[in-house]
Amino acid sequence: MSTVTLKNIKKVYPKSHNDNKHNLKETAEGVLAVDDFNLEIKDNEFIVLVGPSGCGKSTTLRMVAGLEEITGGELYIDDVLMNEVAPKDRDISMVFQNYALYPHMTVRQNMEFPLKVQKKKKEYIDKKVEEAAEILGITEYLDRKPKALSGGQKQRVAIGRAIVREPKVLLMDEPLSNLDAKLRNQMRAEILKLRKRIHTTFIYVTHDQTEAMTLGDRIVIMKDGVVQQIGTPQEVFDNPHNLFVAGFIGTPQMNFYDGRLLEDNGKYTVEIQGMKVALGKEKNERLKANGVVSQDVTVGVRPEHIVLAEGDNVIRSVVDVSEMMGSEVHLHVTANGQESIIIVPTNVIRGRSVMDSGAEVDFSFPEEVVHLFSKETQNNLEY
Amino acid sequence: MDVKNPKSPSPKKGILRTRKSKRMAFALAILLPFAIWMLVYMLIPLASVIFYSFTDAKMGYDRQNFVGLYQFQKMFSNATAMISIKNSLKAALVIVPVSLLLSMLTALGLDALSERSSKVYTFAVFLPNIISLTAACLVWRWIYHGQYGVLNFLLNLMGIPSQQFLKSQAQAMYSLCAIHIWSVFGYYAIILLAAIRSIDKSLYEAASLDGASYWTQFFHVTLPMLKNTLLFVGIMLTTSAFMFFTPVQLLTNGTPGTSTYVMLFYIYQQGIEQGNTGFSSAMSLVLMLIILFFSLIQWILTTEREPKPRKKTAVKKEAEAA
Ligand SMILES: Nc1ncnc2c1ncn2[C@@H]1O[C@H](COP(=O)(O)OP(=O)(O)OP(=O)(O)O)[C@@H](O)[C@H]1O
Ligand SMILES: [Mg+2]
């Protein structure tokens, strides 16, 4: 029900002697866990923070919650500065990875707790708890203790406890990562349903890019405490702004090749292992606008955009292994020492021998699926 | 023709055949030294205490007669014995709650400190445990001294007249209890501190986001999570309160009057000093039953009862009505 604004948010942890194994920047005061985080979250928006372990997702979330002090920058909820406001006065609730249910209370008592603390009327509490239990399908467990519940049920209770209060902002820190794959898919769908039913701003942390892509209205990709890109799932998938985002989003991973970008009179061509791809109008314009000159580049192409091809202007490769996935086949191939994955619809190669190890396949790709990254900055040359 | 799989092992005979019995054997092997220790130092003395309680045994005589409940009758009609029971109960009633509260508050305080200063204070709190209580009592004698004592000096500074801590019928018992509390609370504070530190921090984070104040968190998270530890500490404190003895022996010898006669002191006098083995055994047995009784009460009070399912509530009723 609220907007959340993060302005130049920064977090410095005091240096500890025992761990030096992170990639974080160190300053005089300590380790820079989050640096210059800017984000405006709209009312009722579902934001996902995603990135590899240790990139500062939890730290950011905990700063929003008030569980971690903000070293620098400003945090606003509904345009009110929150930096110095105590967690209990922020009207935020949070779902923890380890559920954080009170073991000595029943499910009902757990869910009642936030309302009891607020000294709400008993009828109101009963109504809210039972509504939430209904939404989450845990009505029959209301009188059980948490230890008599499965992981998925515990997480539902934790979500229930977080929503009974109708908080302005609902924070979730890897809520599904303790669940097995099947349950995780199921709960992901439930969270999608939940968000249709309750009117709250969500901030959701995960290291799983599939979760991020399926749940988020917008996703924030972080690495080493620094935001790499913010955008809708479609945007970050189609237009990754740097090499890291390109490799992080999408499974199987994007293929990368060493290539050379050649500029000739405002027309760009990219050359990869002897194959020449002339870029189209759009790309030419964008590259030209950025003043890109001829240079060595990293070329990124998604496995599903590669096509098997014939002729001279192709990349020649040898199949290492192939994985039959049902409707499609993943071919792992090596071309001039560079590995790539090609996704081919099963019916295209039916009856052909390309699937066997050692088979030779030639492939190419259309110009519009090519991503060009600077060798120097690793940024996408088009943006 | 042999139809059985020739490779399948024929069932072996012997006690170590199944996994369960193997585990049992392992447990027994591990527990054997302890079992022997328990037999020699606990069960045999316990059995002999029970046995002598029903005899007229005296030290120095090697014959004793079975006298039924005579020793117990004698005890319950003996004024000093009854006073000692009353005094022990009084001491326990002071020592257990005060130590518990003090330990708890100390533990909370230590928990709130930063890691480094907490280490220093933890050591300070633990110190009484590594000082010999006998030596400490000598210091306490000086602290409590009617004329030159530090405590009186401090009281005088605040304009309060000097007190006869160990020589007044009204104060002596409490003064001794204070020594006992001083000697034990640090140990239990550290046990409680360890238990507090092991509570999942996210429970507090969840509670503080839900708007719970420090004390709400204490009563709804800390206290319930410490239940088992508190039970343990409570029982240990109860036991130690009834075993309260050294300060009495060193500082007051039961005086003034009989105001600091506690059970163990009287048992010691009767059994060791006067050699009334039968009588002191009977009293020891009573002491043991009292400790057991109070421990049981605490155990019952803290045992978890199954939550009762609630009756139908608002939403369901509505749904049924519709
Ligand atoms: N209390 C702390 N003191 C010092 N450094 C910390 C502290 N908490 C976190 N860090 C460091 O800050 C960085 C970011 O931590 P954070 O927990 O936010 O990562 P994360 O993105 O949530 O990772 P994960 O996916 O593993 O949960 C890490 O390098 C971590 O080592
Ligand atoms: Mg984390």
Side-chain angles (χ1 to χ4, degrees):
Chain A
M1 276 210 300
S2 296
T3 62
V4 180
T5 308
L6 296 97
K7 236 186 197 165
N8 309 323
I9 291 284
K10 180 169 118 172
K11 177 70 192 183
V12 178
Y13 282 117
K15 232 175 279 183
S16 55
H17 334 276
N18 38 17
D19 76 312
N20 300 312
K21 281 181 292 203
H22 50 72
N23 307 320
L24 303 177
K25 241 192 271 170
E26 290 199 6
T27 63
E29 312 100 76
V31 196
L32 198 53
V34 176
D35 192 19
D36 199 22
F37 194 115
N38 285 291
L39 177 63
E40 277 186 38
I41 303 175
K42 294 189 275 288
D43 181 30
N44 211 20
E45 196 174 22
F46 198 122
I47 288 286
V48 179
L49 306 183
V50 65
S53 186
C55 70
K57 313 176 291 283
S58 297
T59 303
T60 308
L61 197 72
R62 293 168 57 81
M63 283 193 286
V64 174
L67 297 172
E68 209 72 70
E69 208 148 319
I70 299 173
T71 314
E74 288 145 32
L75 170 75
Y76 297 91
I77 296 176
D78 282 341
D79 302 324
V80 181
L81 185 66
M82 285 287 150
N83 288 38
E84 302 300 327
V85 176
K88 68 186 175 67
D89 300 321
R90 294 191 185 191
D91 199 2
I92 278 178
S93 57
M94 181 155 166
V95 177
F96 294 82
Q97 179 177 352
N98 63 355
Y99 323 123
L101 297 176
Y102 309 118
H104 54 281
M105 299 183 193
T106 61
V107 168
R108 180 190 294 277
Q109 288 165 338
N110 263 286
M111 288 168 65
E112 278 172 353
F113 186 74
L115 297 174
K116 281 206 165 145
V117 167
Q118 292 187 337
K119 304 219 160 43
K120 290 274 195 280
K121 287 232 179 59
K122 191 174 172 314
E123 300 81 59
Y124 177 83
I125 295 180
D126 283 346
K127 189 166 152 267
K128 278 288 156 205
V129 167
E130 269 156 47
E131 272 175 18
E134 191 72 42
I135 293 178
L136 294 159
I138 48 175
T139 310
E140 54 187 303
Y141 311 121
L142 276 178
D143 294 309
R144 283 203 207 167
K145 289 269 177 79
K147 67 168 183 284
L149 299 179
S150 72
Q153 290 161 347
K154 279 185 198 160
Q155 200 52 281
R156 280 163 213 253
V157 177
I159 294 172
R161 185 179 63 184
I163 63 174
V164 284
R165 207 155 49 86
E166 299 177 355
K168 283 183 180 170
V169 187
L170 181 52
L171 309 178
M172 299 187 168
D173 193 353
E174 310 211 17
L176 307 187
S177 58
N178 282 3
L179 308 180
D180 65 49
K182 189 163 166 246
L183 206 52
R184 197 150 58 214
N185 287 341
Q186 197 184 330
M187 282 299 287
R188 208 166 62 204
E190 301 245 345
I191 290 178
L192 276 175
K193 267 194 265 169
L194 175 73
R195 97 148 273 216
K196 297 247 157 58
R197 293 192 59 167
I198 64 173
H199 189 81
T200 297
T201 306
F202 282 79
I203 308 180
Y204 185 104
V205 162
T206 177
H207 59 259
D208 181 66
Q209 60 96 19
T210 320
E211 249 172 60
M213 297 291 278
T214 47
L215 288 173
D217 290 335
R218 279 191 298 159
I219 63 186
V220 179
I221 298 143
M222 298 179 71
K223 181 193 169 207
D224 299 340
V226 180
V227 173
Q228 304 293 307
Q229 189 171 354
I230 301 176
T232 64
Q234 192 71 50
E235 277 166 15
V236 295
F237 184 81
D238 290 344
N239 311 315
H241 282 190
N242 62 35
L243 206 56
F244 175 78
V245 175
F248 192 78
I249 298 293
T251 44
Q253 230 197 8
M254 186 184 279
N255 297 306
F256 296 111
Y257 309 94
D258 292 327
R260 174 127 190 111
L261 181 68
L262 298 164
E263 189 251 9
D264 178 25
N265 224 347
K267 296 255 185 292
Y268 291 85
T269 314
V270 60
E271 199 181 308
I272 310 136
Q273 297 181 11
M275 179 174 80
K276 285 204 175 70
V277 181
L279 299 183
K281 184 160 167 273
E282 257 181 65
K283 284 197 189 301
N284 275 329
E285 277 168 7
R286 276 201 287 258
L287 290 174
K288 202 165 143 194
N290 287 349
V292 175
V293 294
S294 297
Q295 58 184 293
D296 284 336
V297 290
T298 302
V299 180
V301 183
R302 297 208 179 272
E304 56 271 36
H305 292 150
I306 295 182
V307 287
L308 298 184
E310 283 162 6
D312 291 336
N313 199 23
V314 292
I315 297 177
R316 295 184 198 287
S317 69
V318 178
V319 176
D320 297 325
V321 281
S322 64
E323 297 172 302
M324 176 66 194
M325 311 295 281
S327 59
E328 61 196 24
V329 178
H330 294 185
L331 295 177
H332 294 247
V333 303
T334 306
N336 293 325
Q338 289 191 319
E339 289 177 17
S340 27
I341 301 179
I342 306 173
I343 297 184
V344 195
T346 305
N347 52 15
V348 169
I349 52 168
R350 187 158 284 143
R352 286 166 60 176
S353 58
V354 285
M355 278 174 65
D356 303 337
S357 295
E360 288 184 9
V361 284
D362 299 342
F363 64 85
S364 70
F365 32 79
E367 64 85 24
E368 67 269 17
V369 302
V370 169
H371 303 275
L372 300 166
F373 302 98
S374 155
K375 281 265 180 209
E376 205 179 318
T377 63
Q378 307 204 329
N379 286 336
N380 193 324
L381 291 169
E382 291 178 55
Y383 300 97
Chain B
M1 203 170 78
D2 194 2
V3 285
K4 267 193 266 172
N5 182 355
K7 271 183 213 149
S8 80
S10 58
K12 265 187 265 166
K13 298 242 161 61
I15 195 149
L16 295 184
R17 193 159 51 84
T18 65
R19 213 194 250 215
K20 203 173 156 195
S21 58
K22 269 185 198 159
R23 195 183 301 168
M24 274 299 287
F26 175 72
L28 284 179
I30 294 276
L31 291 177
L32 193 64
F34 176 71
I36 292 173
W37 178 83
M38 211 163 107
L39 189 72
V40 173
Y41 287 97
M42 292 175 76
L43 291 181
I44 292 177
L46 179 66
S48 45
V49 162
I50 296 175
F51 171 75
Y52 286 124
S53 298
F54 300 98
T55 69
D56 62 356
K58 275 191 180 274
M59 234 187 265
Y61 297 78
D62 51 3
R63 293 180 68 93
Q64 64 266 335
N65 301 307
F66 182 74
V67 293
L69 293 175
Y70 169 72
Q71 301 287 16
F72 293 93
Q73 273 169 358
K74 199 170 123 193
M75 188 177 86
F76 285 111
S77 56
N78 176 332
T80 318
M82 294 322 287
I83 286 174
S84 78
I85 293 180
K86 215 177 79 194
N87 282 341
S88 276
L89 288 174
K90 194 163 98 179
L93 238 55
V94 173
I95 290 172
V96 176
V98 173
S99 308
L100 203 57
L101 194 68
L102 208 57
S103 304
M104 192 71 219
L105 290 175
T106 309
L108 289 177
L110 289 174
D111 183 47
L113 288 174
S114 74
E115 210 165 304
R116 188 180 295 168
S117 47
S118 141
K119 268 183 198 147
V120 176
Y121 283 99
T122 304
F123 178 70
V125 162
F126 194 70
L127 210 54
N129 280 278
I130 49 181
I131 299 174
S132 123
L133 190 53
T134 312
C137 280
L138 297 180
V139 178
W140 277 96
R141 190 207 298 275
W142 170 67
I143 292 175
Y144 280 149
H145 195 279
Q147 265 178 286
Y148 316 112
V150 191
L151 209 50
N152 273 328
F153 173 73
L154 291 175
L155 288 180
N156 292 344
L157 278 187
M158 290 188 285
I160 301 169
S162 291
Q163 305 288 318
Q164 294 297 323
F165 294 104
L166 295 175
K167 298 216 167 86
S168 123
Q169 294 246 9
Q171 294 178 357
M173 189 59 160
Y174 300 111
S175 304
L176 295 182
C177 286
I179 301 177
H180 187 79
I181 292 169
W182 167 84
S183 74
V184 297
F185 88 94
Y187 178 72
Y188 295 108
I190 285 160
I191 290 181
L192 286 170
L193 177 66
I196 291 173
R197 291 251 163 101
S198 72
I199 299 173
D200 185 354
K201 290 289 162 289
S202 58
L203 294 184
Y204 292 104
E205 293 178 346
S208 68
L209 283 171
D210 286 340
S213 65
Y214 179 82
W215 288 111
T216 309
Q217 289 179 36
F218 174 75
F219 285 111
H220 287 93
V221 181
T222 312
L223 218 45
M225 299 296 285
L226 290 183
K227 210 172 62 180
N228 289 334
T229 314
L230 281 171
L231 172 65
F232 168 75
V233 170
I235 288 176
M236 295 300 280
L237 273 172
T238 308
T239 311
S240 97
F242 282 105
M243 297 300 204
F244 166 50
F245 172 69
T246 312
V248 178
Q249 200 209 8
L250 290 177
L251 298 183
T252 65
N253 256 307
T255 61
T258 46
S259 68
T260 58
Y261 259 85
V262 289
M263 285 180 83
L264 203 61
F265 182 67
Y266 194 56
I267 291 169
Y268 170 80
Q269 270 198 338
Q270 289 295 316
I272 309 289
E273 289 181 355
Q274 303 185 12
N276 290 326
T277 312
F279 182 80
S280 64
S281 294
M283 196 144 170
S284 302
L285 202 59
V286 171
L287 176 62
M288 205 182 79
L289 291 177
I290 292 177
I291 295 176
L292 205 62
F293 172 75
F294 282 103
S295 303
L296 266 179
I297 288 187
Q298 295 177 56
W299 185 65
I300 290 167
L301 282 181
T302 49
T303 308
E304 195 167 340
R305 277 166 290 268
E306 269 309 297
K308 282 180 234 112
R310 276 245 221 138
K311 285 176 218 100
K312 274 182 202 155
T313 35
V315 169
K316 265 194 218 151
K317 271 188 219 151
E318 268 173 36
E320 270 164 29

